[in-house]
Amino acid sequence: MTVGNPTENTGAERPAKAMGRGEGISDSRGFDWRDPWRLGKRIKHILPRSLLGRALLIMVMPLILVQIITAWVFYDRHFDYITDNLARALASEIAVVTEHLLREEDPAKRQEIFNLHGNLLWMKLSFKQHETLPPDHATRKGYMVRKLRRALNRRVSFNVSIDSEQAGQNVVVFVQMLDGVLRAEIHRERLFNSTSDLFVIWMVGSSILFFGVATMFMRNQVRPIRRLARAAERFGKGRDTPSFTPEGATEVRQAAAAFIQMRDRIRRQMRQRTEMLAGVSHDLRTPLTRMKLSLALIGDGPELKELRSDLVEMERMIEGYLAFARGEGSEAMRPTSLGDLLSEVVEQTQRELANQQGKTLDVHIEEQVSLPLRRNSMRRCLQNLVSNALRYGDNVSIRLGREGPHVVLVIDDDGPGIPEEMREDVFKPFFRLDTSRNPETGGTGLGLTIARDAVRSHGGDVRLEASPLGGLRVRLRVPV
């Protein structure tokens, strides 16, 4: 019997990487938005999965819709109306200036007109004789420029061009007169309504403030649910949750109170089972002891050999049944290295099977992981699994490693194995296989039952598979 080098990193077999939610559904022809099933899958894949994210989405989506509708109404009604009036007013003022220029040809009179209108209308006017209309430099076809161009074309009877690029914060309007070009430079504020900026700032600012307050509120509401989930997870792993108390909304408090009642009922049932079996142990062992003493006084006749064997078998069955029913429920959980515990079990198994020839045991421990365990319960589980593998197989391989949030123990043997349709039945109490395993090797039919009961009390599980060695593979998973 040999023990492998712990430093050899062969490891427990890793399961194939699971396909993601979005993998395997793409079509080489592209996504068909007309397919309602695919559309629903795509939307479900995009939506947040947490309660906090979905609650915020429920609050944010109506807010976004309201803002879109409000912005559309504002820009379609108020902003469009105000901007159109500003553009028409400016175009009318330029049209008045052009009419005055047509009536006055004296340069001095025209300068007076420029000074008068420039001071009253907040625009800088100039006139260049014998000039032609410059090209249009309004390359950024802004909303205000389009409004101004439309208004100028309606009210000014001359050709016009607009320069909104080269004048900085100003807009320059050129009007082709009969004897030259009129130049009117206007500040952008004449065409822009500051209400729109205030509206956008108020809308975005209030939305951010609302989203921040909603996030803080929803986080406080989700926190009790997360505490309940952590408490249920700890209790499922067999760990105590003494500090858990109901808090939060009424529905969350009801769920927390139901969890506490369930936890107390389970603990009470485990305690009652342990207390009851303590009395059963005394009641059953006493008559067995008297029967063994009576047989010892009678003698060692060959007719009594089978009776003594039956008594030994009955005693072993009672011990196994009590171990299964007790489940080490009263044992406290302590940080324990599963690798060290496995090494102790292997050493003990080697001593017990020292006289058996042809048995080979290969052990590889990838990583020493410490986790909360009921040491005696887990030790009994490992003893049952290792002894079971060595009982039915000549070559046994044990691999202990870590897979994400779990510690995985894989035990392979080259024995007769177990048919796939019966791999769940062997976990039933007192269930025995008469064909796949040798019935003459003994056993009470409780080894795998006790092992799974112990592992599940730690939040893990034990499953049986086909082994590459030709026999049975036992895969044990315990959350860290």
Side-chain angles (χ1 to χ4, degrees):
M1 185 177 300
T2 61
V3 178
N5 186 1
T7 61
E8 183 179 346
N9 191 7
T10 58
E13 286 194 0
R14 299 292 191 262
K17 185 179 180 181
M19 182 179 293
R21 285 180 173 265
E23 298 179 16
I25 62 172
S26 59
D27 193 347
S28 59
R29 296 171 296 179
F31 181 73
D32 188 2
W33 291 93
R34 295 171 296 179
D35 189 343
W37 185 83
R38 286 181 175 268
L39 178 60
K41 293 286 287 184
R42 177 63 61 87
I43 294 175
K44 185 178 180 180
H45 182 72
I46 295 175
L47 292 177
R49 305 187 187 280
S50 65
L51 177 61
L52 177 61
R54 293 186 177 185
L56 291 177
L57 182 64
I58 293 173
M59 292 187 294
V60 168
M61 286 302 296
L63 177 63
I64 294 176
L65 292 177
V66 168
Q67 289 188 349
I68 291 175
I69 295 173
T70 303
W72 179 80
V73 172
F74 174 80
Y75 280 96
D76 185 65
R77 300 294 181 182
H78 176 76
F79 186 75
D80 183 76
Y81 176 76
I82 296 298
T83 305
D84 191 56
N85 286 342
L86 292 174
R88 283 185 294 179
L90 183 58
S92 299
E93 294 169 0
I94 295 176
V96 170
V97 175
T98 58
E99 290 296 329
H100 287 175
L101 292 179
L102 289 176
R103 297 175 185 178
E104 295 290 345
E105 296 182 359
D106 185 9
K109 295 292 185 180
R110 287 185 172 182
Q111 188 60 43
E112 291 180 3
I113 294 174
F114 292 160
N115 294 335
L116 177 62
H117 286 81
N119 293 331
L120 295 177
L121 303 179
W122 294 355
M123 66 175 64
K124 187 184 297 184
L125 299 171
S126 62
F127 185 81
K128 294 182 179 181
Q129 290 186 341
H130 310 298
E131 293 286 340
T132 58
L133 193 67
D136 199 334
H137 290 287
T139 55
R140 293 183 298 180
K141 302 296 183 180
Y143 183 75
M144 296 180 295
V145 174
R146 291 198 302 269
K147 287 286 187 179
L148 178 59
R149 189 187 305 280
R150 190 179 301 117
L152 289 171
N153 291 333
R154 289 178 180 177
R155 283 167 173 74
V156 179
S157 56
F158 300 98
N159 292 331
V160 299
S161 67
I162 302 175
D163 183 359
S164 61
E165 299 291 331
Q166 300 180 4
Q169 294 296 322
N170 296 336
V171 177
V172 182
V173 178
F174 299 94
V175 182
Q176 180 67 66
M177 306 292 292
L178 296 177
D179 56 347
V181 175
L182 172 64
R183 183 181 186 275
E185 186 174 347
I186 310 101
H187 199 275
R188 289 179 183 269
E189 292 182 356
R190 293 286 316 270
L191 295 170
F192 181 73
N193 182 16
S194 60
T195 307
S196 59
D197 282 345
L198 295 176
F199 174 77
V200 172
I201 293 174
W202 173 257
M203 185 172 61
V204 175
S206 61
S207 301
I208 294 175
L209 179 62
F210 172 78
F211 184 76
V213 173
T215 302
M216 293 176 58
F217 176 78
M218 287 305 304
R219 186 171 295 171
N220 291 332
Q221 298 303 312
V222 172
R223 187 179 293 112
I225 301 177
R226 291 177 175 172
R227 290 187 68 250
L228 175 60
R230 287 194 296 267
E233 182 182 8
R234 286 183 57 85
F235 185 71
K237 294 178 180 179
R239 304 170 188 176
D240 196 11
T241 56
S243 61
F244 177 74
T245 54
E247 62 178 18
T250 303
E251 292 79 2
V252 181
R253 289 177 177 269
Q254 291 176 351
F259 166 75
I260 293 176
Q261 293 177 0
M262 177 195 68
R263 180 192 64 184
D264 294 340
R265 283 197 298 267
I266 293 175
R267 288 176 175 174
R268 187 164 53 250
Q269 291 173 359
M270 294 174 61
R271 185 169 56 252
Q272 290 175 353
R273 184 182 67 175
T274 304
E275 293 174 354
M276 178 191 67
L277 291 174
V280 172
S281 173
H282 179 269
D283 293 342
L284 291 179
R285 285 175 177 175
T286 300
L288 283 177
T289 303
R290 290 199 301 264
M291 293 174 65
K292 290 173 66 176
L293 289 175
S294 299
L295 289 175
L297 294 176
I298 292 176
D300 295 330
E303 66 278 1
L304 301 178
K305 183 177 181 180
E306 185 175 352
L307 182 58
R308 288 194 178 92
S309 177
D310 290 340
L311 284 176
V312 172
E313 179 69 14
M314 289 175 61
E315 190 173 14
R316 186 167 64 249
M317 291 179 64
I318 291 174
E319 291 294 336
Y321 172 71
L322 293 178
F324 162 70
R326 183 168 60 252
E328 306 294 344
S330 59
E331 184 181 0
M333 302 189 73
R334 295 182 177 86
T336 306
S337 173
L338 189 58
D340 294 341
L341 189 61
L342 176 63
S343 299
E344 294 178 8
V345 170
V346 170
E347 292 177 1
Q348 180 180 354
T349 305
Q350 288 176 334
R351 291 193 297 269
E352 293 176 355
L353 300 177
N355 297 328
Q356 298 189 22
Q357 301 296 328
K359 298 287 185 178
T360 301
L361 180 61
D362 186 22
V363 181
H364 292 280
I365 300 175
E366 290 186 11
E367 180 181 357
Q368 293 288 353
V369 181
S370 179
L371 64 160
L373 296 175
R374 296 184 180 91
R375 183 180 178 86
N376 293 333
S377 177
M378 185 58 67
R379 183 185 180 90
R380 177 175 296 163
C381 167
L382 297 178
Q383 285 176 340
N384 290 346
L385 295 179
V386 175
S387 300
N388 197 59
L390 287 170
R391 180 181 300 122
Y392 298 108
D394 295 330
N395 299 292
V396 177
S397 173
I398 301 177
R399 303 291 184 270
L400 177 65
R402 182 165 180 171
E403 293 182 3
H406 293 83
V407 177
V408 179
L409 175 67
V410 177
I411 302 177
D412 292 308
D413 65 56
D414 60 351
I418 297 177
E420 183 177 359
E421 64 275 7
M422 304 184 69
R423 289 174 186 167
E424 285 298 319
D425 294 336
V426 296
F427 289 105
K428 297 177 181 179
F430 303 106
F431 183 87
R432 289 187 180 183
L433 290 173
D434 295 330
T435 57
S436 64
R437 298 258 173 167
N438 185 1
E440 296 179 359
T441 56
T444 62
L446 286 172
L448 292 175
T449 308
I450 294 174
R452 173 173 275 188
D453 183 64
V455 175
R456 285 185 171 179
S457 69
H458 291 81
D461 201 1
V462 177
R463 297 192 179 278
L464 304 182
E465 305 170 2
S467 173
L469 300 180
L472 182 69
R473 163 171 288 184
V474 180
R475 183 182 295 272
L476 183 150
R477 294 170 61 91
V478 181
V480 178

